[in-house]
Amino acid sequence: QTYFGESVRIVGNQPQIGSWNVEKAVPMETSEDAYPVWSLHKPLKFGIKTKVEYKYVFFKDGELSRWEEMPEGTNHSFETNNEAEV
């Protein structure tokens, strides 16, 4: 859930999504018609047999306001079988 004035970014274990550095997190976008769905402006490419772990981070006024709430030590994850674009 986002709050008024927040933006969403995705950060994770792969360089394409910032290598867990929130300053390099990838911005997501939404619109009045699409909200509350957020999406990436362009696809991200991951190599063959790549394990991707990530979380959503929330920014307000250009500053990190909070991390996605998940049970401690857990992340979203998937593994690619072939080269993947998400």
Side-chain angles (χ1 to χ4, degrees):
Q1 176 181 0
T2 54
Y3 300 107
F4 181 78
E6 283 186 319
S7 61
V8 181
R9 301 181 191 182
I10 186 171
V11 66
N13 68 328
Q14 299 297 319
Q16 300 91 319
I17 49 177
S19 298
W20 292 117
N21 180 343
V22 294
E23 292 177 9
K24 296 179 180 178
V26 178
M28 300 182 77
E29 58 187 30
T30 191
S31 67
E32 190 175 314
D33 294 334
Y35 185 82
V37 176
W38 292 76
S39 58
L40 294 170
H41 177 67
K42 58 183 177 180
L44 299 170
K45 294 182 181 182
F46 299 101
I48 298 168
K49 300 279 186 196
T50 301
K51 183 170 183 180
V52 180
E53 295 187 23
Y54 65 95
K55 285 187 177 173
Y56 299 103
V57 287
F58 302 87
F59 281 69
K60 187 168 185 172
D61 300 323
E63 300 288 325
L64 177 67
S65 60
R66 61 190 173 96
W67 285 75
E68 174 183 18
E69 292 182 22
M70 294 183 73
E72 189 172 335
T74 62
N75 302 308
H76 300 283
S77 66
F78 64 91
E79 187 170 339
T80 63
N81 292 323
N82 300 309
E83 186 172 67
E85 217 175 72
V86 293

mmCIF file of all heavy atoms in Angstrom, residues 39-63:
data_model
loop_
_atom_site.group_PDB
_atom_site.id
_atom_site.type_symbol
_atom_site.label_atom_id
_atom_site.label_comp_id
_atom_site.label_asym_id
_atom_site.label_seq_id
_atom_site.Cartn_x
_atom_site.Cartn_y
_atom_site.Cartn_z
ATOM 1 N N SER A 39 4.257 -0.254 -12.031
ATOM 2 C CA SER A 39 5.007 -1.093 -12.973
ATOM 3 C C SER A 39 6.324 -0.406 -13.342
ATOM 4 O O SER A 39 6.523 0.772 -13.081
ATOM 5 C CB SER A 39 4.175 -1.364 -14.226
ATOM 6 O OG SER A 39 3.810 -0.150 -14.843
ATOM 7 N N LEU A 40 7.202 -1.186 -13.959
ATOM 8 C CA LEU A 40 8.479 -0.657 -14.419
ATOM 9 C C LEU A 40 8.288 0.039 -15.754
ATOM 10 O O LEU A 40 7.486 -0.407 -16.587
ATOM 11 C CB LEU A 40 9.498 -1.789 -14.569
ATOM 12 C CG LEU A 40 9.898 -2.464 -13.267
ATOM 13 C CD1 LEU A 40 10.703 -3.722 -13.547
ATOM 14 C CD2 LEU A 40 10.700 -1.504 -12.401
ATOM 15 N N HIS A 41 9.036 1.103 -15.968
ATOM 16 C CA HIS A 41 8.956 1.849 -17.224
ATOM 17 C C HIS A 41 9.467 1.007 -18.392
ATOM 18 O O HIS A 41 8.915 1.037 -19.481
ATOM 19 C CB HIS A 41 9.753 3.146 -17.108
ATOM 20 C CG HIS A 41 9.803 3.954 -18.353
ATOM 21 N ND1 HIS A 41 8.687 4.575 -18.889
ATOM 22 C CD2 HIS A 41 10.817 4.240 -19.193
ATOM 23 C CE1 HIS A 41 9.029 5.201 -19.990
ATOM 24 N NE2 HIS A 41 10.315 5.022 -20.204
ATOM 25 N N LYS A 42 10.542 0.237 -18.150
ATOM 26 C CA LYS A 42 11.063 -0.657 -19.183
ATOM 27 C C LYS A 42 11.474 -1.969 -18.531
ATOM 28 O O LYS A 42 11.801 -2.021 -17.352
ATOM 29 C CB LYS A 42 12.222 -0.018 -19.947
ATOM 30 C CG LYS A 42 13.389 0.392 -19.108
ATOM 31 C CD LYS A 42 14.437 1.076 -19.964
ATOM 32 C CE LYS A 42 15.600 1.564 -19.098
ATOM 33 N NZ LYS A 42 16.613 2.225 -19.891
ATOM 34 N N PRO A 43 11.460 -3.056 -19.299
ATOM 35 C CA PRO A 43 11.771 -4.379 -18.733
ATOM 36 C C PRO A 43 13.215 -4.468 -18.223
ATOM 37 O O PRO A 43 14.110 -3.782 -18.713
ATOM 38 C CB PRO A 43 11.581 -5.336 -19.907
ATOM 39 C CG PRO A 43 10.870 -4.574 -20.958
ATOM 40 C CD PRO A 43 11.130 -3.132 -20.719
ATOM 41 N N LEU A 44 13.399 -5.330 -17.245
ATOM 42 C CA LEU A 44 14.729 -5.653 -16.732
ATOM 43 C C LEU A 44 15.130 -7.010 -17.282
ATOM 44 O O LEU A 44 14.300 -7.912 -17.363
ATOM 45 C CB LEU A 44 14.710 -5.710 -15.204
ATOM 46 C CG LEU A 44 14.324 -4.426 -14.493
ATOM 47 C CD1 LEU A 44 14.121 -4.690 -13.014
ATOM 48 C CD2 LEU A 44 15.394 -3.364 -14.705
ATOM 49 N N LYS A 45 16.394 -7.178 -17.637
ATOM 50 C CA LYS A 45 16.871 -8.449 -18.179
ATOM 51 C C LYS A 45 17.770 -9.138 -17.163
ATOM 52 O O LYS A 45 18.660 -8.513 -16.587
ATOM 53 C CB LYS A 45 17.640 -8.228 -19.480
ATOM 54 C CG LYS A 45 16.768 -7.718 -20.596
ATOM 55 C CD LYS A 45 17.550 -7.564 -21.881
ATOM 56 C CE LYS A 45 16.630 -7.013 -22.964
ATOM 57 N NZ LYS A 45 17.307 -6.889 -24.235
ATOM 58 N N PHE A 46 17.517 -10.433 -16.964
ATOM 59 C CA PHE A 46 18.317 -11.261 -16.073
ATOM 60 C C PHE A 46 18.821 -12.462 -16.860
ATOM 61 O O PHE A 46 18.144 -12.961 -17.745
ATOM 62 C CB PHE A 46 17.494 -11.727 -14.874
ATOM 63 C CG PHE A 46 16.987 -10.594 -14.025
ATOM 64 C CD1 PHE A 46 15.679 -10.167 -14.135
ATOM 65 C CD2 PHE A 46 17.823 -9.961 -13.132
ATOM 66 C CE1 PHE A 46 15.200 -9.117 -13.364
ATOM 67 C CE2 PHE A 46 17.362 -8.908 -12.354
ATOM 68 C CZ PHE A 46 16.048 -8.486 -12.467
ATOM 69 N N GLY A 47 20.005 -12.941 -16.508
ATOM 70 C CA GLY A 47 20.623 -14.042 -17.230
ATOM 71 C C GLY A 47 20.015 -15.399 -16.909
ATOM 72 O O GLY A 47 19.117 -15.538 -16.082
ATOM 73 N N ILE A 48 20.549 -16.423 -17.568
ATOM 74 C CA ILE A 48 20.115 -17.805 -17.390
ATOM 75 C C ILE A 48 20.473 -18.274 -15.983
ATOM 76 O O ILE A 48 21.555 -17.990 -15.482
ATOM 77 C CB ILE A 48 20.777 -18.709 -18.454
ATOM 78 C CG1 ILE A 48 20.332 -18.273 -19.855
ATOM 79 C CG2 ILE A 48 20.459 -20.176 -18.222
ATOM 80 C CD1 ILE A 48 21.132 -18.902 -20.978
ATOM 81 N N LYS A 49 19.543 -19.012 -15.357
ATOM 82 C CA LYS A 49 19.743 -19.587 -14.015
ATOM 83 C C LYS A 49 20.152 -18.522 -12.993
ATOM 84 O O LYS A 49 21.071 -18.703 -12.209
ATOM 85 C CB LYS A 49 20.798 -20.697 -14.050
ATOM 86 C CG LYS A 49 20.441 -21.846 -14.958
ATOM 87 C CD LYS A 49 19.496 -22.790 -14.275
ATOM 88 C CE LYS A 49 19.269 -24.005 -15.158
ATOM 89 N NZ LYS A 49 18.134 -24.770 -14.770
ATOM 90 N N THR A 50 19.438 -17.412 -12.993
ATOM 91 C CA THR A 50 19.713 -16.320 -12.064
ATOM 92 C C THR A 50 18.653 -16.304 -10.980
ATOM 93 O O THR A 50 17.461 -16.282 -11.278
ATOM 94 C CB THR A 50 19.708 -14.963 -12.802
ATOM 95 O OG1 THR A 50 20.699 -15.002 -13.827
ATOM 96 C CG2 THR A 50 19.991 -13.818 -11.861
ATOM 97 N N LYS A 51 19.092 -16.306 -9.716
ATOM 98 C CA LYS A 51 18.146 -16.169 -8.601
ATOM 99 C C LYS A 51 18.017 -14.685 -8.292
ATOM 100 O O LYS A 51 19.005 -14.006 -8.027
ATOM 101 C CB LYS A 51 18.603 -16.919 -7.363
ATOM 102 C CG LYS A 51 17.569 -16.808 -6.262
ATOM 103 C CD LYS A 51 17.825 -17.702 -5.092
ATOM 104 C CE LYS A 51 16.660 -17.543 -4.113
ATOM 105 N NZ LYS A 51 16.800 -18.343 -2.950
ATOM 106 N N VAL A 52 16.803 -14.202 -8.361
ATOM 107 C CA VAL A 52 16.523 -12.790 -8.125
ATOM 108 C C VAL A 52 15.728 -12.669 -6.833
ATOM 109 O O VAL A 52 14.697 -13.313 -6.667
ATOM 110 C CB VAL A 52 15.721 -12.180 -9.306
ATOM 111 C CG1 VAL A 52 15.422 -10.716 -9.051
ATOM 112 C CG2 VAL A 52 16.469 -12.371 -10.619
ATOM 113 N N GLU A 53 16.238 -11.857 -5.915
ATOM 114 C CA GLU A 53 15.533 -11.539 -4.673
ATOM 115 C C GLU A 53 15.322 -10.031 -4.640
ATOM 116 O O GLU A 53 16.212 -9.276 -5.025
ATOM 117 C CB GLU A 53 16.344 -11.978 -3.459
ATOM 118 C CG GLU A 53 16.525 -13.478 -3.368
ATOM 119 C CD GLU A 53 17.192 -13.903 -2.080
ATOM 120 O OE1 GLU A 53 17.124 -13.144 -1.087
ATOM 121 O OE2 GLU A 53 17.771 -14.991 -2.064
ATOM 122 N N TYR A 54 14.149 -9.614 -4.162
ATOM 123 C CA TYR A 54 13.871 -8.172 -4.180
ATOM 124 C C TYR A 54 12.813 -7.791 -3.154
ATOM 125 O O TYR A 54 12.087 -8.638 -2.630
ATOM 126 C CB TYR A 54 13.418 -7.733 -5.572
ATOM 127 C CG TYR A 54 12.095 -8.328 -6.002
ATOM 128 C CD1 TYR A 54 10.912 -7.620 -5.818
ATOM 129 C CD2 TYR A 54 12.018 -9.579 -6.581
ATOM 130 C CE1 TYR A 54 9.688 -8.161 -6.201
ATOM 131 C CE2 TYR A 54 10.807 -10.126 -6.964
ATOM 132 C CZ TYR A 54 9.651 -9.410 -6.774
ATOM 133 O OH TYR A 54 8.445 -9.957 -7.146
ATOM 134 N N LYS A 55 12.763 -6.503 -2.891
ATOM 135 C CA LYS A 55 11.719 -5.890 -2.074
ATOM 136 C C LYS A 55 11.354 -4.558 -2.708
ATOM 137 O O LYS A 55 12.112 -3.995 -3.507
ATOM 138 C CB LYS A 55 12.206 -5.624 -0.645
ATOM 139 C CG LYS A 55 12.288 -6.862 0.210
ATOM 140 C CD LYS A 55 12.603 -6.514 1.640
ATOM 141 C CE LYS A 55 12.595 -7.811 2.442
ATOM 142 N NZ LYS A 55 13.049 -7.628 3.802
ATOM 143 N N TYR A 56 10.198 -4.056 -2.316
ATOM 144 C CA TYR A 56 9.781 -2.725 -2.731
ATOM 145 C C TYR A 56 10.188 -1.745 -1.638
ATOM 146 O O TYR A 56 10.093 -2.051 -0.450
ATOM 147 C CB TYR A 56 8.271 -2.682 -2.958
ATOM 148 C CG TYR A 56 7.832 -3.625 -4.046
ATOM 149 C CD1 TYR A 56 7.228 -4.847 -3.736
ATOM 150 C CD2 TYR A 56 8.049 -3.312 -5.381
ATOM 151 C CE1 TYR A 56 6.846 -5.723 -4.745
ATOM 152 C CE2 TYR A 56 7.664 -4.193 -6.395
ATOM 153 C CZ TYR A 56 7.070 -5.384 -6.052
ATOM 154 O OH TYR A 56 6.698 -6.264 -7.051
ATOM 155 N N VAL A 57 10.666 -0.581 -2.055
ATOM 156 C CA VAL A 57 10.995 0.484 -1.117
ATOM 157 C C VAL A 57 10.186 1.714 -1.504
ATOM 158 O O VAL A 57 9.863 1.924 -2.673
ATOM 159 C CB VAL A 57 12.511 0.795 -1.085
ATOM 160 C CG1 VAL A 57 13.265 -0.308 -0.386
ATOM 161 C CG2 VAL A 57 13.084 1.005 -2.478
ATOM 162 N N PHE A 58 9.850 2.503 -0.511
ATOM 163 C CA PHE A 58 8.958 3.638 -0.700
ATOM 164 C C PHE A 58 9.711 4.928 -0.399
ATOM 165 O O PHE A 58 10.408 5.026 0.612
ATOM 166 C CB PHE A 58 7.739 3.494 0.209
ATOM 167 C CG PHE A 58 6.989 2.213 -0.056
ATOM 168 C CD1 PHE A 58 7.343 1.039 0.591
ATOM 169 C CD2 PHE A 58 5.957 2.171 -0.976
ATOM 170 C CE1 PHE A 58 6.667 -0.156 0.343
ATOM 171 C CE2 PHE A 58 5.285 0.985 -1.240
ATOM 172 C CZ PHE A 58 5.645 -0.170 -0.580
ATOM 173 N N PHE A 59 9.570 5.875 -1.307
ATOM 174 C CA PHE A 59 10.238 7.157 -1.176
ATOM 175 C C PHE A 59 9.213 8.268 -1.086
ATOM 176 O O PHE A 59 8.144 8.189 -1.681
ATOM 177 C CB PHE A 59 11.130 7.412 -2.399
ATOM 178 C CG PHE A 59 12.437 6.677 -2.366
ATOM 179 C CD1 PHE A 59 12.488 5.302 -2.505
ATOM 180 C CD2 PHE A 59 13.620 7.371 -2.184
ATOM 181 C CE1 PHE A 59 13.692 4.616 -2.478
ATOM 182 C CE2 PHE A 59 14.829 6.696 -2.153
ATOM 183 C CZ PHE A 59 14.866 5.319 -2.296
ATOM 184 N N LYS A 60 9.557 9.296 -0.331
ATOM 185 C CA LYS A 60 8.729 10.500 -0.260
ATOM 186 C C LYS A 60 9.663 11.699 -0.310
ATOM 187 O O LYS A 60 10.654 11.738 0.421
ATOM 188 C CB LYS A 60 7.891 10.517 1.019
ATOM 189 C CG LYS A 60 6.905 11.650 1.056
ATOM 190 C CD LYS A 60 5.892 11.501 2.151
ATOM 191 C CE LYS A 60 4.888 12.637 2.016
ATOM 192 N NZ LYS A 60 3.781 12.476 2.918
ATOM 193 N N ASP A 61 9.355 12.634 -1.176
ATOM 194 C CA ASP A 61 10.192 13.821 -1.366
ATOM 195 C C ASP A 61 11.634 13.431 -1.680
ATOM 196 O O ASP A 61 12.582 14.065 -1.212
ATOM 197 C CB ASP A 61 10.138 14.731 -0.141
ATOM 198 C CG ASP A 61 8.729 15.230 0.159
ATOM 199 O OD1 ASP A 61 7.976 15.497 -0.809
ATOM 200 O OD2 ASP A 61 8.376 15.339 1.340
ATOM 201 N N GLY A 62 11.815 12.356 -2.464
ATOM 202 C CA GLY A 62 13.138 11.932 -2.890
ATOM 203 C C GLY A 62 13.958 11.187 -1.846
ATOM 204 O O GLY A 62 15.095 10.819 -2.091
ATOM 205 N N GLU A 63 13.390 10.958 -0.674
ATOM 206 C CA GLU A 63 14.094 10.277 0.412
ATOM 207 C C GLU A 63 13.405 8.953 0.743
ATOM 208 O O GLU A 63 12.179 8.851 0.674
ATOM 209 C CB GLU A 63 14.100 11.151 1.677
ATOM 210 C CG GLU A 63 14.780 12.493 1.511
ATOM 211 C CD GLU A 63 16.287 12.374 1.394
ATOM 212 O OE1 GLU A 63 16.874 11.484 2.046
ATOM 213 O OE2 GLU A 63 16.885 13.171 0.647
#
